[in-house]
Amino acid sequence: NMGPCRLTGKDAETELHGVCGATLSTIAARNFCRMIAAGTSAHSDHARGMVETLLAVAEGHAPDFQIKDVTKLKRVAGYLEIETLDRPINDIAKEVALTFLQDFGRQQGGAINYAVKRAPKKTLERWKKWGIVPRGIDREVVEMMHRTNIGVDHEPDHLLLQGLRTSLADGWGGSMISTDTTDILFG
């Protein structure tokens, strides 16, 4: 264990560095990005629990809960390009829940649904330009934790770009999924 990183040297500009060679900027970026990963984990795991509850309701395994806002369910299904016409509500809810669950575990091959389907076009293009469109909620948190491990990524700008991607996974993934699912279940 060579951490947490301790700085040695006298001059922050030329000498100050950690045992692994990390500069003050790298250490600050790593610490900040770990806070982002922790917040994203908290919000997104709450969202996962809400989605699992929605799935349990749809499958008839949660008798104490019900879908209280069918209009919101259909609106969310529309965002996700899920057909609603002449379908039972529980079938729609199940497909919405399963689609949302994919956003947590997606490893490659696209981006989280709300980032590409609800973000303004100009904003999405900017995210693409910077390479920060979130691929999967859990994927971004794990990559953030990997990059911030001692000896892995020493470039503060790279770390902060991953921090932005992880934050977008939180906001356009976990937080929005949780809010919409909560509205569907509780009105």
Side-chain angles (χ1 to χ4, degrees):
N1 181 11
M2 296 183 347
C5 207
R6 304 277 193 261
L7 297 174
T8 60
K10 297 177 185 171
D11 182 358
E13 299 268 335
T14 58
E15 292 180 359
L16 202 57
H17 63 278
V19 68
C20 67
T23 64
L24 184 61
S25 297
T26 298
I27 293 167
R30 283 178 179 164
N31 290 338
F32 179 62
C33 288
R34 281 187 168 244
M35 287 186 269
I36 291 170
T40 300
S41 295
H43 296 142
S44 298
D45 202 48
H46 171 74
R48 184 187 345 261
M50 295 305 303
V51 171
E52 288 170 344
T53 301
L54 179 62
L55 181 59
V57 169
E59 293 178 335
H61 303 303
D64 294 336
F65 295 91
Q66 63 183 337
I67 295 167
K68 290 194 175 178
D69 193 339
V70 173
T71 302
K72 180 74 174 238
L73 173 65
K74 289 182 177 183
R75 185 177 326 127
V76 168
Y79 297 145
L80 302 172
E81 300 174 5
I82 294 170
E83 183 59 49
T84 62
L85 191 62
D86 298 325
R87 289 184 67 194
I89 295 305
N90 283 347
D91 287 354
I92 298 167
K94 182 175 181 175
E95 191 171 349
V96 165
L98 292 173
T99 301
F100 276 154
L101 286 174
Q102 290 173 0
D103 280 340
F104 290 93
R106 184 177 295 105
Q107 299 300 307
Q108 49 185 282
I112 59 173
N113 281 293
Y114 275 3
V116 295
K117 295 179 180 173
R118 291 187 69 183
K121 245 182 197 177
K122 188 174 180 179
T123 300
L124 181 58
E125 290 306 314
R126 190 174 302 121
W127 295 345
K128 286 179 181 178
K129 174 184 172 189
W130 286 98
I132 59 173
V133 178
R135 300 159 290 186
I137 298 166
D138 295 344
R139 169 76 171 90
E140 302 308 346
V141 171
V142 168
E143 183 168 330
M144 188 78 275
M145 294 304 291
H146 171 230
R147 283 183 181 215
T148 57
N149 194 35
I150 293 170
V152 178
D153 192 337
H154 284 274
E155 176 55 46
D157 290 343
H158 294 165
L159 291 164
L160 293 172
L161 283 172
Q162 179 60 28
L164 288 170
R165 186 184 300 130
T166 306
S167 296
L168 291 173
D170 181 358
W172 289 84
S175 293
M176 288 180 80
I177 289 170
S178 179
T179 299
D180 283 350
T181 306
T182 300
D183 289 348
I184 290 166
L185 288 170
F186 302 112

PDB file of all heavy atoms in Angstrom, residues 51-52 54-55 58-59 80 82 91-104 106 113:
ATOM      1  N   VAL A  51     -35.762   0.952  -9.916  1.00  0.00           N
ATOM      2  CA  VAL A  51     -36.050   0.190 -11.140  1.00  0.00           C
ATOM      3  C   VAL A  51     -36.352  -1.268 -10.800  1.00  0.00           C
ATOM      4  O   VAL A  51     -37.273  -1.873 -11.382  1.00  0.00           O
ATOM      5  CB  VAL A  51     -34.880   0.309 -12.145  1.00  0.00           C
ATOM      6  CG1 VAL A  51     -35.068  -0.646 -13.316  1.00  0.00           C
ATOM      7  CG2 VAL A  51     -34.752   1.747 -12.640  1.00  0.00           C
ATOM      8  N   GLU A  52     -35.624  -1.832  -9.860  1.00  0.00           N
ATOM      9  CA  GLU A  52     -35.908  -3.208  -9.450  1.00  0.00           C
ATOM     10  C   GLU A  52     -37.299  -3.304  -8.825  1.00  0.00           C
ATOM     11  O   GLU A  52     -38.002  -4.305  -9.013  1.00  0.00           O
ATOM     12  CB  GLU A  52     -34.835  -3.699  -8.481  1.00  0.00           C
ATOM     13  CG  GLU A  52     -33.506  -3.955  -9.173  1.00  0.00           C
ATOM     14  CD  GLU A  52     -32.348  -4.206  -8.214  1.00  0.00           C
ATOM     15  OE1 GLU A  52     -32.471  -3.901  -7.000  1.00  0.00           O
ATOM     16  OE2 GLU A  52     -31.307  -4.701  -8.682  1.00  0.00           O
ATOM     17  N   LEU A  54     -39.854  -1.314  -9.680  1.00  0.00           N
ATOM     18  CA  LEU A  54     -40.762  -1.232 -10.822  1.00  0.00           C
ATOM     19  C   LEU A  54     -40.876  -2.588 -11.515  1.00  0.00           C
ATOM     20  O   LEU A  54     -41.984  -3.024 -11.861  1.00  0.00           O
ATOM     21  CB  LEU A  54     -40.297  -0.162 -11.814  1.00  0.00           C
ATOM     22  CG  LEU A  54     -41.143   0.003 -13.078  1.00  0.00           C
ATOM     23  CD1 LEU A  54     -42.573   0.443 -12.736  1.00  0.00           C
ATOM     24  CD2 LEU A  54     -40.484   0.997 -14.031  1.00  0.00           C
ATOM     25  N   LEU A  55     -39.771  -3.270 -11.689  1.00  0.00           N
ATOM     26  CA  LEU A  55     -39.785  -4.590 -12.317  1.00  0.00           C
ATOM     27  C   LEU A  55     -40.589  -5.576 -11.463  1.00  0.00           C
ATOM     28  O   LEU A  55     -41.398  -6.344 -11.997  1.00  0.00           O
ATOM     29  CB  LEU A  55     -38.355  -5.094 -12.530  1.00  0.00           C
ATOM     30  CG  LEU A  55     -38.202  -6.457 -13.203  1.00  0.00           C
ATOM     31  CD1 LEU A  55     -38.839  -6.472 -14.598  1.00  0.00           C
ATOM     32  CD2 LEU A  55     -36.721  -6.842 -13.284  1.00  0.00           C
ATOM     33  N   ALA A  58     -44.229  -4.880 -11.951  1.00  0.00           N
ATOM     34  CA  ALA A  58     -44.670  -5.337 -13.274  1.00  0.00           C
ATOM     35  C   ALA A  58     -44.838  -6.854 -13.325  1.00  0.00           C
ATOM     36  O   ALA A  58     -45.714  -7.369 -14.022  1.00  0.00           O
ATOM     37  CB  ALA A  58     -43.678  -4.878 -14.341  1.00  0.00           C
ATOM     38  N   GLU A  59     -44.003  -7.563 -12.579  1.00  0.00           N
ATOM     39  CA  GLU A  59     -44.057  -9.031 -12.576  1.00  0.00           C
ATOM     40  C   GLU A  59     -44.975  -9.591 -11.485  1.00  0.00           C
ATOM     41  O   GLU A  59     -45.083 -10.800 -11.336  1.00  0.00           O
ATOM     42  CB  GLU A  59     -42.638  -9.594 -12.412  1.00  0.00           C
ATOM     43  CG  GLU A  59     -41.758  -9.313 -13.622  1.00  0.00           C
ATOM     44  CD  GLU A  59     -40.336  -9.830 -13.454  1.00  0.00           C
ATOM     45  OE1 GLU A  59     -39.868  -9.982 -12.297  1.00  0.00           O
ATOM     46  OE2 GLU A  59     -39.693 -10.084 -14.482  1.00  0.00           O
ATOM     47  N   LEU A  80     -37.845   6.005 -24.445  1.00  0.00           N
ATOM     48  CA  LEU A  80     -37.044   4.799 -24.663  1.00  0.00           C
ATOM     49  C   LEU A  80     -37.430   4.053 -25.936  1.00  0.00           C
ATOM     50  O   LEU A  80     -36.909   2.966 -26.203  1.00  0.00           O
ATOM     51  CB  LEU A  80     -37.167   3.873 -23.449  1.00  0.00           C
ATOM     52  CG  LEU A  80     -36.736   4.478 -22.108  1.00  0.00           C
ATOM     53  CD1 LEU A  80     -37.078   3.531 -20.962  1.00  0.00           C
ATOM     54  CD2 LEU A  80     -35.263   4.828 -22.117  1.00  0.00           C
ATOM     55  N   ILE A  82     -40.240   2.568 -26.670  1.00  0.00           N
ATOM     56  CA  ILE A  82     -40.965   1.351 -26.339  1.00  0.00           C
ATOM     57  C   ILE A  82     -42.420   1.539 -26.737  1.00  0.00           C
ATOM     58  O   ILE A  82     -43.053   2.524 -26.357  1.00  0.00           O
ATOM     59  CB  ILE A  82     -40.848   1.043 -24.827  1.00  0.00           C
ATOM     60  CG1 ILE A  82     -39.394   0.705 -24.484  1.00  0.00           C
ATOM     61  CG2 ILE A  82     -41.803  -0.072 -24.416  1.00  0.00           C
ATOM     62  CD1 ILE A  82     -39.122   0.616 -22.993  1.00  0.00           C
ATOM     63  N   ASP A  91     -46.812  -4.920 -18.844  1.00  0.00           N
ATOM     64  CA  ASP A  91     -45.856  -5.275 -19.899  1.00  0.00           C
ATOM     65  C   ASP A  91     -44.979  -4.075 -20.257  1.00  0.00           C
ATOM     66  O   ASP A  91     -43.767  -4.219 -20.462  1.00  0.00           O
ATOM     67  CB  ASP A  91     -46.578  -5.775 -21.150  1.00  0.00           C
ATOM     68  CG  ASP A  91     -47.176  -7.167 -20.974  1.00  0.00           C
ATOM     69  OD1 ASP A  91     -46.942  -7.800 -19.918  1.00  0.00           O
ATOM     70  OD2 ASP A  91     -47.892  -7.615 -21.895  1.00  0.00           O
ATOM     71  N   ILE A  92     -45.605  -2.916 -20.353  1.00  0.00           N
ATOM     72  CA  ILE A  92     -44.842  -1.689 -20.639  1.00  0.00           C
ATOM     73  C   ILE A  92     -43.858  -1.423 -19.507  1.00  0.00           C
ATOM     74  O   ILE A  92     -42.681  -1.135 -19.744  1.00  0.00           O
ATOM     75  CB  ILE A  92     -45.792  -0.481 -20.834  1.00  0.00           C
ATOM     76  CG1 ILE A  92     -46.726  -0.713 -22.028  1.00  0.00           C
ATOM     77  CG2 ILE A  92     -44.994   0.811 -20.998  1.00  0.00           C
ATOM     78  CD1 ILE A  92     -47.888   0.267 -22.097  1.00  0.00           C
ATOM     79  N   ALA A  93     -44.342  -1.515 -18.265  1.00  0.00           N
ATOM     80  CA  ALA A  93     -43.486  -1.260 -17.101  1.00  0.00           C
ATOM     81  C   ALA A  93     -42.300  -2.216 -17.059  1.00  0.00           C
ATOM     82  O   ALA A  93     -41.172  -1.803 -16.750  1.00  0.00           O
ATOM     83  CB  ALA A  93     -44.307  -1.374 -15.816  1.00  0.00           C
ATOM     84  N   LYS A  94     -42.538  -3.463 -17.375  1.00  0.00           N
ATOM     85  CA  LYS A  94     -41.455  -4.445 -17.372  1.00  0.00           C
ATOM     86  C   LYS A  94     -40.401  -4.092 -18.418  1.00  0.00           C
ATOM     87  O   LYS A  94     -39.199  -4.126 -18.136  1.00  0.00           O
ATOM     88  CB  LYS A  94     -41.997  -5.848 -17.626  1.00  0.00           C
ATOM     89  CG  LYS A  94     -40.930  -6.916 -17.587  1.00  0.00           C
ATOM     90  CD  LYS A  94     -41.502  -8.310 -17.724  1.00  0.00           C
ATOM     91  CE  LYS A  94     -40.383  -9.348 -17.655  1.00  0.00           C
ATOM     92  NZ  LYS A  94     -40.929 -10.715 -17.677  1.00  0.00           N
ATOM     93  N   GLU A  95     -40.835  -3.720 -19.608  1.00  0.00           N
ATOM     94  CA  GLU A  95     -39.874  -3.367 -20.659  1.00  0.00           C
ATOM     95  C   GLU A  95     -39.104  -2.099 -20.301  1.00  0.00           C
ATOM     96  O   GLU A  95     -37.902  -2.004 -20.548  1.00  0.00           O
ATOM     97  CB  GLU A  95     -40.579  -3.228 -22.010  1.00  0.00           C
ATOM     98  CG  GLU A  95     -39.600  -3.135 -23.155  1.00  0.00           C
ATOM     99  CD  GLU A  95     -40.240  -3.207 -24.531  1.00  0.00           C
ATOM    100  OE1 GLU A  95     -41.442  -3.545 -24.642  1.00  0.00           O
ATOM    101  OE2 GLU A  95     -39.524  -2.911 -25.511  1.00  0.00           O
ATOM    102  N   VAL A  96     -39.792  -1.129 -19.701  1.00  0.00           N
ATOM    103  CA  VAL A  96     -39.103   0.091 -19.247  1.00  0.00           C
ATOM    104  C   VAL A  96     -38.046  -0.276 -18.213  1.00  0.00           C
ATOM    105  O   VAL A  96     -36.890   0.159 -18.300  1.00  0.00           O
ATOM    106  CB  VAL A  96     -40.111   1.126 -18.683  1.00  0.00           C
ATOM    107  CG1 VAL A  96     -39.403   2.209 -17.883  1.00  0.00           C
ATOM    108  CG2 VAL A  96     -40.931   1.748 -19.805  1.00  0.00           C
ATOM    109  N   ALA A  97     -38.420  -1.088 -17.225  1.00  0.00           N
ATOM    110  CA  ALA A  97     -37.475  -1.477 -16.172  1.00  0.00           C
ATOM    111  C   ALA A  97     -36.274  -2.222 -16.751  1.00  0.00           C
ATOM    112  O   ALA A  97     -35.123  -1.928 -16.400  1.00  0.00           O
ATOM    113  CB  ALA A  97     -38.184  -2.323 -15.121  1.00  0.00           C
ATOM    114  N   LEU A  98     -36.512  -3.162 -17.642  1.00  0.00           N
ATOM    115  CA  LEU A  98     -35.405  -3.924 -18.225  1.00  0.00           C
ATOM    116  C   LEU A  98     -34.501  -3.040 -19.078  1.00  0.00           C
ATOM    117  O   LEU A  98     -33.277  -3.218 -19.086  1.00  0.00           O
ATOM    118  CB  LEU A  98     -35.950  -5.102 -19.035  1.00  0.00           C
ATOM    119  CG  LEU A  98     -36.617  -6.206 -18.205  1.00  0.00           C
ATOM    120  CD1 LEU A  98     -37.284  -7.239 -19.120  1.00  0.00           C
ATOM    121  CD2 LEU A  98     -35.623  -6.870 -17.258  1.00  0.00           C
ATOM    122  N   THR A  99     -35.090  -2.076 -19.765  1.00  0.00           N
ATOM    123  CA  THR A  99     -34.294  -1.141 -20.564  1.00  0.00           C
ATOM    124  C   THR A  99     -33.426  -0.276 -19.661  1.00  0.00           C
ATOM    125  O   THR A  99     -32.244  -0.057 -19.947  1.00  0.00           O
ATOM    126  CB  THR A  99     -35.211  -0.271 -21.448  1.00  0.00           C
ATOM    127  OG1 THR A  99     -35.971  -1.134 -22.306  1.00  0.00           O
ATOM    128  CG2 THR A  99     -34.412   0.704 -22.291  1.00  0.00           C
ATOM    129  N   PHE A 100     -34.003   0.212 -18.574  1.00  0.00           N
ATOM    130  CA  PHE A 100     -33.223   1.001 -17.620  1.00  0.00           C
ATOM    131  C   PHE A 100     -32.092   0.182 -17.008  1.00  0.00           C
ATOM    132  O   PHE A 100     -30.981   0.680 -16.833  1.00  0.00           O
ATOM    133  CB  PHE A 100     -34.115   1.555 -16.508  1.00  0.00           C
ATOM    134  CG  PHE A 100     -34.826   2.830 -16.849  1.00  0.00           C
ATOM    135  CD1 PHE A 100     -36.024   3.135 -16.212  1.00  0.00           C
ATOM    136  CD2 PHE A 100     -34.320   3.750 -17.745  1.00  0.00           C
ATOM    137  CE1 PHE A 100     -36.701   4.321 -16.485  1.00  0.00           C
ATOM    138  CE2 PHE A 100     -34.978   4.937 -18.034  1.00  0.00           C
ATOM    139  CZ  PHE A 100     -36.168   5.222 -17.395  1.00  0.00           C
ATOM    140  N   LEU A 101     -32.364  -1.071 -16.664  1.00  0.00           N
ATOM    141  CA  LEU A 101     -31.322  -1.898 -16.060  1.00  0.00           C
ATOM    142  C   LEU A 101     -30.130  -2.072 -16.997  1.00  0.00           C
ATOM    143  O   LEU A 101     -28.989  -2.181 -16.535  1.00  0.00           O
ATOM    144  CB  LEU A 101     -31.892  -3.260 -15.645  1.00  0.00           C
ATOM    145  CG  LEU A 101     -32.770  -3.233 -14.396  1.00  0.00           C
ATOM    146  CD1 LEU A 101     -33.409  -4.599 -14.154  1.00  0.00           C
ATOM    147  CD2 LEU A 101     -31.993  -2.773 -13.171  1.00  0.00           C
ATOM    148  N   GLN A 102     -30.373  -2.071 -18.297  1.00  0.00           N
ATOM    149  CA  GLN A 102     -29.272  -2.156 -19.261  1.00  0.00           C
ATOM    150  C   GLN A 102     -28.334  -0.952 -19.137  1.00  0.00           C
ATOM    151  O   GLN A 102     -27.137  -1.077 -19.373  1.00  0.00           O
ATOM    152  CB  GLN A 102     -29.810  -2.237 -20.686  1.00  0.00           C
ATOM    153  CG  GLN A 102     -30.496  -3.527 -21.016  1.00  0.00           C
ATOM    154  CD  GLN A 102     -31.152  -3.485 -22.387  1.00  0.00           C
ATOM    155  OE1 GLN A 102     -31.105  -2.491 -23.109  1.00  0.00           O
ATOM    156  NE2 GLN A 102     -31.788  -4.587 -22.763  1.00  0.00           N
ATOM    157  N   ASP A 103     -28.892   0.206 -18.770  1.00  0.00           N
ATOM    158  CA  ASP A 103     -28.056   1.400 -18.641  1.00  0.00           C
ATOM    159  C   ASP A 103     -27.044   1.290 -17.502  1.00  0.00           C
ATOM    160  O   ASP A 103     -26.030   1.966 -17.514  1.00  0.00           O
ATOM    161  CB  ASP A 103     -28.919   2.647 -18.434  1.00  0.00           C
ATOM    162  CG  ASP A 103     -29.508   3.176 -19.730  1.00  0.00           C
ATOM    163  OD1 ASP A 103     -28.978   2.839 -20.804  1.00  0.00           O
ATOM    164  OD2 ASP A 103     -30.490   3.930 -19.665  1.00  0.00           O
ATOM    165  N   PHE A 104     -27.327   0.454 -16.531  1.00  0.00           N
ATOM    166  CA  PHE A 104     -26.367   0.269 -15.442  1.00  0.00           C
ATOM    167  C   PHE A 104     -25.213  -0.606 -15.896  1.00  0.00           C
ATOM    168  O   PHE A 104     -24.062  -0.274 -15.661  1.00  0.00           O
ATOM    169  CB  PHE A 104     -27.057  -0.351 -14.217  1.00  0.00           C
ATOM    170  CG  PHE A 104     -27.998   0.595 -13.555  1.00  0.00           C
ATOM    171  CD1 PHE A 104     -29.338   0.611 -13.892  1.00  0.00           C
ATOM    172  CD2 PHE A 104     -27.541   1.497 -12.610  1.00  0.00           C
ATOM    173  CE1 PHE A 104     -30.221   1.497 -13.298  1.00  0.00           C
ATOM    174  CE2 PHE A 104     -28.404   2.398 -12.010  1.00  0.00           C
ATOM    175  CZ  PHE A 104     -29.742   2.393 -12.352  1.00  0.00           C
ATOM    176  N   ARG A 106     -24.280  -1.686 -19.071  1.00  0.00           N
ATOM    177  CA  ARG A 106     -23.725  -1.618 -20.430  1.00  0.00           C
ATOM    178  C   ARG A 106     -22.220  -1.378 -20.354  1.00  0.00           C
ATOM    179  O   ARG A 106     -21.761  -0.474 -19.691  1.00  0.00           O
ATOM    180  CB  ARG A 106     -24.405  -0.508 -21.228  1.00  0.00           C
ATOM    181  CG  ARG A 106     -23.930  -0.449 -22.682  1.00  0.00           C
ATOM    182  CD  ARG A 106     -24.648   0.615 -23.509  1.00  0.00           C
ATOM    183  NE  ARG A 106     -26.062   0.279 -23.642  1.00  0.00           N
ATOM    184  CZ  ARG A 106     -27.045   0.888 -22.982  1.00  0.00           C
ATOM    185  NH1 ARG A 106     -26.782   1.862 -22.158  1.00  0.00           N
ATOM    186  NH2 ARG A 106     -28.296   0.537 -23.155  1.00  0.00           N
ATOM    187  N   ASN A 113     -29.333   5.545 -22.234  1.00  0.00           N
ATOM    188  CA  ASN A 113     -30.478   5.975 -23.027  1.00  0.00           C
ATOM    189  C   ASN A 113     -30.812   7.454 -22.921  1.00  0.00           C
ATOM    190  O   ASN A 113     -30.975   8.127 -23.936  1.00  0.00           O
ATOM    191  CB  ASN A 113     -31.711   5.139 -22.667  1.00  0.00           C
ATOM    192  CG  ASN A 113     -31.685   3.797 -23.321  1.00  0.00           C
ATOM    193  OD1 ASN A 113     -31.781   3.694 -24.539  1.00  0.00           O
ATOM    194  ND2 ASN A 113     -31.528   2.757 -22.523  1.00  0.00           N
TER     195      ASN A 113
END
